[in-house]
């Protein structure tokens, strides 16, 4: 199935668009949730196919894109300002009785990276913020306020940074003299702590900035909550599509689908699995993950690390946490 082209130019090219639309198979009258609206790339493709779309996004800066979609598709589009964990409530509040599809595009968008004032990028000077919304602690709050242990832990866990302890030490030493407020300031301290670039293909602060962004926005916790909310909300036969961009995200999605399709190892006598949770709540749309082709990789560098996993909801009840 060929995805319809967006009806207006977008500053953020949706990754694996044709593959996502094929997995969701939108039809006139279907109700679908685009859980990461962004600039509306997936939403527009679903609307062009005749579906009604409930879009979710916690970033207030996307409002102009939402207004444009509302004008182009009156009566079939709604934006709800909420993170993934609010998906089930957003659908319940919509008044629709059947949810036919959900798509997630995980991580930070190119629009956010390009806006220096958001503080996501170590390549542009801006306030050290990184929040996708205006709520909660910023990256500056973390680097200026957290103790060494917790700070080093998130750098290791979320950034896979092998020198997390050294970086945390450098941050704590510098903040005594002057708190961090700017992105390039933090990037310079991290670079110095790691001994400079010395021909490295990526900036030394890449992993640190990724880790802080994930921690600030609770991205992995929200992903897990969103997958569980989609499971509870999708009707039998409803389709789920998830696009990830790094191994931490993909690992969560893969584990979720492995478990929910009944392919995970069973419980033991020490940790029995309730009988009702053995019934698969999803079937895979295809084995493994799909990746971008050569043409898309060349046109959109962001697609190079992208992976799509997809599944179809069964009639089985949503899984419950083990007692």
């Amino acid at each position: 199935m060929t995805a319809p082209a967006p009806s207006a130019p977008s500053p953020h090219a949706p990754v694996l668009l044709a593959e996502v639309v094929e997995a969701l198979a939108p039809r006139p009258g279907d109700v679908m949730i685009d859980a990461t609206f962004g600039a509306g790339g997936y939403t527009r493709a679903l609307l062009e196919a005749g579906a009604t779309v409930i879009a979710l996004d916690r970033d207030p800066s996307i409002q102009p894109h939402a207004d444009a979609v509302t004008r182009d598709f009156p009566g079939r589009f709604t934006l709800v300002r909420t993170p993934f964990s609010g998906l089930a409530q957003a659908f319940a509040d919509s008044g629709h009785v059947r949810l036919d599809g959900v798509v997630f595009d995980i991580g930070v968008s190119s629009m956010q990276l390009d806006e220096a004032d958001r503080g996501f990028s170590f390549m542009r000077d801006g306030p050290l913020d990184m929040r996708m919304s205006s709520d909660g602690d910023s990256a500056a709050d973390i680097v200026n306020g957290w103790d060494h242990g917790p700070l080093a832990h998130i750098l290791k866990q979320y950034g896979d940074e092998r020198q997390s302890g050294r970086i945390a030490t450098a941050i704590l030493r510098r903040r005594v003299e002057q708190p961090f407020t700017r992105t390039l300031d933090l990037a310079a301290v991290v670079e110095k702590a790691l001994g400079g670039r010395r021909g490295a293909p990526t900036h030394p602060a890449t992993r640190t900035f990724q880790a802080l962004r994930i921690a600030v926005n609770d991205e992995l916790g929200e992903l897990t909550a969103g997958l569980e909310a989609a499971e509870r909300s999708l009707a039998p036969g409803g389709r789920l599509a998830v696009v990830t961009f790094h191994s931490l995200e993909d690992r969560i999605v893969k584990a979720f689908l492995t478990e929910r399709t009944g392919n995970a190892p069973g419980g033991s006598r020490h940790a029995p699995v309730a009988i009702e949770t053995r019934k698969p709540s999803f079937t895979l749309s295809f084995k493994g993950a799909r990746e971008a082709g050569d043409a898309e990789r060349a046109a959109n560098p962001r697609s190079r690390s992208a992976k799509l996993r997809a599944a179809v909801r069964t009639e089985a009840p949503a899984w419950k946490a083990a007692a």
Side-chain angles (χ1 to χ4, degrees):
M1 179 176 180
T2 301
S7 60
S10 169
H12 170 72
V15 170
L16 292 165
L17 178 60
E19 292 82 355
V20 166
V21 173
E22 180 181 8
L24 292 177
R27 298 179 295 264
D30 282 353
V31 176
M32 299 199 163
I33 287 180
D34 179 353
T36 39
F37 174 74
Y42 295 133
T43 287
R44 284 185 175 275
L46 299 175
L47 290 165
E48 292 279 4
T52 293
V53 177
I54 304 164
L56 314 182
D57 208 304
R58 53 177 161 172
D59 185 347
S61 72
I62 56 84
Q63 191 61 50
H65 302 293
D67 293 340
V69 173
T70 300
R71 290 192 298 269
D72 292 344
F73 300 92
R76 289 197 288 121
F77 170 72
T78 304
L79 174 68
V80 181
R81 196 66 57 73
T82 185
F84 296 159
S85 55
L87 185 151
Q89 188 62 53
F91 176 66
D93 292 343
S94 73
H96 295 288
V97 296
R98 177 184 170 89
L99 181 61
D100 299 289
V102 176
V103 57
F104 294 91
D105 177 356
I106 312 303
V108 66
S109 76
S110 55
M111 293 188 304
Q112 292 165 329
L113 288 173
D114 290 342
E115 296 174 6
D117 288 346
R118 305 300 299 277
F120 287 102
S121 175
F122 48 79
M123 302 301 291
R124 296 175 175 84
D125 189 38
L128 190 57
D129 194 324
M130 300 193 193
R131 291 175 295 178
M132 293 181 182
S133 68
S134 57
D135 300 325
D137 289 342
S138 68
D141 292 325
I142 291 177
V143 298
N144 290 321
W146 284 25
D147 292 337
H148 184 281
L151 181 57
H153 175 72
I154 65 165
L155 297 182
K156 175 66 175 178
Q157 182 178 12
Y158 297 154
D160 196 24
E161 176 54 72
R162 287 175 291 183
Q163 301 296 327
S164 58
R166 178 183 296 181
I167 294 171
T169 297
I171 288 173
L172 264 66
R173 285 176 177 170
R174 213 316 291 278
R175 78 187 191 192
V176 172
E177 304 170 3
Q178 180 181 352
F180 290 93
T181 61
R182 309 293 293 181
T183 54
L184 292 188
D185 183 20
L186 175 62
V189 169
V190 173
E191 183 175 353
K192 183 177 180 181
L194 296 181
R197 299 194 189 190
R198 291 180 294 183
T202 58
H203 193 286
T206 300
R207 296 177 185 275
T208 294
F209 271 64
Q210 172 184 298
L212 289 171
R213 190 202 78 221
I214 290 173
V216 164
N217 297 291
D218 188 24
E219 291 181 25
L220 303 186
E222 283 292 333
L223 173 56
T224 298
L227 292 171
E228 293 173 350
E231 178 190 28
R232 296 194 303 272
S233 302
L234 280 166
R239 286 80 68 193
L240 173 68
V242 188
V243 178
T244 61
F245 292 89
H246 62 69
S247 59
L248 290 174
E249 301 163 349
D250 185 59
R251 196 177 303 143
I252 290 173
V253 178
K254 181 180 179 181
F256 175 85
L257 291 179
T258 298
E259 181 182 58
R260 291 330 200 248
T261 55
N263 292 314
S268 69
R269 63 188 179 89
H270 301 292
V273 178
I275 293 177
E276 65 269 21
T277 67
R278 296 182 186 273
K279 300 175 183 177
S281 57
F282 284 96
T283 58
L284 292 178
S285 301
F286 46 81
K287 291 184 178 180
R290 290 187 176 172
E291 300 180 3
D294 292 341
E296 182 173 4
R297 288 170 180 250
N300 183 5
R302 183 171 179 262
S303 69
R304 294 172 186 170
S305 62
K307 292 184 178 181
L308 167 66
R309 297 185 187 273
V312 178
R313 188 71 170 85
T314 70
E315 295 184 355
W319 283 37
K320 299 176 182 178

